[in-house]
Amino acid sequence: EAVGNCSQLESLNLADNGIGSSHVSRLCDSLAKLSKLEDLTLAGNAIGDMGASCLGEMLSHLQNLVLLDLTGCEIGATGAASVAEGLQSCTQVETLHLGLNSFDADLPILHLDSNASVALQALFTSVGTSL
């Protein structure tokens, strides 16, 4: 909750903080208030599909987001699809880390086409880098 009071925050690294799917909803409420946030790292937290769905909904509030790191967050196909949908409103995102999750490398999020509204330059998955 204190995070939401830091409206000027540009970078937030919460990697390996024991954040589970049950905590993500409150975290998303706080993150939605951080309109200047550019870098968000949640790597190594067990947010799962439920947490990823919440993040996907919240991403529309982060218009300045450039980097999103969800490495090793136990995200499956449903969660990855939610994140992909949310990223459509994050036109500044250049780097997306999704490695060490449990979805198939053939998901559409890994094959963003030229019609995608994001400025994605680097996509890191457990199967390598792909655009």
Side-chain angles (χ1 to χ4, degrees), residues 39-123:
D39 299 328
L40 177 59
T41 299
L42 295 173
N45 290 294
I47 65 170
D49 283 341
M50 188 172 85
S53 293
C54 180
L55 284 171
E57 292 174 18
M58 181 273 310
L59 285 172
S60 65
H61 298 282
L62 301 182
Q63 298 298 311
N64 293 312
L65 194 66
V66 175
L67 178 140
L68 179 60
D69 188 347
L70 298 174
T71 303
C73 287
E74 300 180 12
I75 297 171
T78 303
S82 296
V83 170
E85 186 175 326
L87 283 173
Q88 297 305 313
S89 60
C90 295
T91 58
Q92 303 300 313
V93 172
E94 295 177 357
T95 305
L96 177 60
H97 294 270
L98 290 170
L100 304 175
N101 284 293
S102 57
F103 55 84
D104 190 341
D106 290 330
L107 280 176
I109 192 171
L110 303 182
H111 304 288
L112 294 173
D113 61 31
S114 59
N115 295 326
S117 61
V118 296
L120 197 62
Q121 295 177 11
L123 173 61

Side-chain angles (χ1 to χ4, degrees), residues 30-43:
S30 295
L31 291 174
K33 299 174 186 173
L34 304 178
S35 61
K36 295 187 179 195
L37 193 65
E38 295 178 4
D39 299 328
L40 177 59
T41 299
L42 295 173

